[in-house]
Amino acid sequence: MAKSQESLQPRPSNDTWVHWISQVVKGDESALAQLYDASSPLVYGLALRILGDAGAAEEVTVDVYLQVWKQANRFDPVRGRVSTWLMTMARSRAIDKLRGKAQELSQAETLEALAETR
């Protein structure tokens, strides 16, 4: 299917996403794949907006779905939508990655400054 036609497909309902999560809790890899196919453009898009780096956004996206696989039982449909849960994880992971980059830059600058004083 062409990308433009794919984007015209309606997004699955939250009930469908909740069903996939309940199947992931049971260890259903195909349910995770369906959830990923339906939701990863949202997760990746948010990570890319926060990080401004496609590679880092891909890493965050993979991390989010690894977390879904490991912690699907923590999702509570009473507390919110699956998309909100996923986006919250993506945002947190992306911000953590930004902080890590900032810390790496700060340490590199400190090392450079120390090297210059010697």
Side-chain angles (χ1 to χ4, degrees), residues 64-83:
V64 166
Y65 290 96
L66 182 59
Q67 185 175 354
V68 168
W69 180 251
K70 291 178 177 179
Q71 300 177 351
N73 62 331
R74 291 187 179 182
F75 174 72
D76 182 358
V78 173
R79 293 184 60 195
R81 300 175 61 81
V82 174
S83 58

